[in-house]
Amino acid sequence: MNTICLDAGHGYRVFGAAPSGARGNGLVEDDVVFGVVDGAAAGLTNRICHILRGHKKTVVMTRDKTWISIQKRCQVALAAKADVMVSVHCNAATNAAAKGYEIYVVRNDMRSKALALKVMESIHTAVGDRISCRGIKWDDQSQHSTLGVLRGTYRVMPAMLIEAGFL
């Protein structure tokens, strides 16, 4: 696996307009996930793309700070002939006790599920029990019923959507 397509979920639809995605505790999902995935604008080097590049992986980003359609995100991954698609998001909940991360894959896509298990193991190795794991879930269990960024890529490459925690 040498080429990884990273998708910072959601995005600002129009410059200066409100972003799509979750909000909570003064945080906006787009800002958080873009920082987690890239972080270059803030000079951060411990973000996903930098870590992967440090391991000699080719990283393709689906977008910059602007919003692009789900179809375009899938097209970016497919055109890059990526080996895997990873879309990063944040959860929000009315229950303040909600915590942890979870990974979504398309129902019965065992190739993506196997990779998601490896990602969970890596996260656990890195952070131990400081961040609770809510497990791997099928995308049709999400509040959106199915996740287009997964459905548009999983037949060609393993694809997962990581809800990296609750805002």
Side-chain angles (χ1 to χ4, degrees):
M1 185 175 346
N2 291 313
T3 302
I4 294 103
C5 186
L6 290 177
D7 173 52
H10 298 283
Y12 287 82
R13 290 185 183 268
V14 178
F15 183 74
S20 61
R23 291 177 182 77
N25 294 310
L27 299 171
V28 175
E29 181 174 8
D30 182 60
D31 296 331
V32 173
V33 298
F34 203 81
V36 167
V37 169
D38 186 359
L44 303 170
T45 58
N46 61 341
R47 299 309 189 226
I48 296 170
C49 72
H50 297 95
I51 292 166
L52 290 170
R53 287 178 179 142
H55 289 282
K56 307 295 185 221
K57 303 298 180 188
T58 300
V59 177
V60 175
M61 302 284 290
T62 59
R63 67 179 185 90
D64 55 18
K65 282 292 281 183
T66 59
W67 179 87
I68 64 170
S69 71
I70 298 297
Q71 294 79 14
K72 178 68 176 166
R73 293 167 198 249
C74 296
Q75 289 170 0
V76 168
L78 295 169
K81 297 185 176 163
D83 297 307
V84 64
M85 163 61 101
V86 180
S87 186
V88 181
H89 294 256
C90 291
N91 263 327
T94 55
N95 179 353
K99 61 182 180 177
Y101 73 95
E102 57 199 7
I103 301 176
Y104 286 92
V105 298
V106 171
R107 182 172 292 280
N108 298 323
D109 176 10
M110 302 317 284
R111 181 177 60 163
S112 294
K113 184 177 180 183
L115 185 58
L117 282 168
K118 289 181 181 180
V119 168
M120 283 175 45
E121 289 170 10
S122 294
I123 292 170
H124 184 74
T125 298
V127 301
D129 293 328
R130 292 184 309 234
I131 301 174
S132 61
C133 177
R134 297 168 53 94
I136 296 173
K137 299 181 178 180
W138 303 124
D139 78 321
D140 58 10
Q141 293 173 298
S142 83
Q143 66 180 351
H144 305 289
S145 78
T146 60
L147 302 168
V149 73
L150 301 182
R151 296 288 170 138
T153 56
Y154 85 99
R155 287 182 178 89
V156 178
M157 66 195 73
M160 68 187 79
L161 185 146
I162 301 173
E163 291 282 2
F166 284 82
L167 299 180

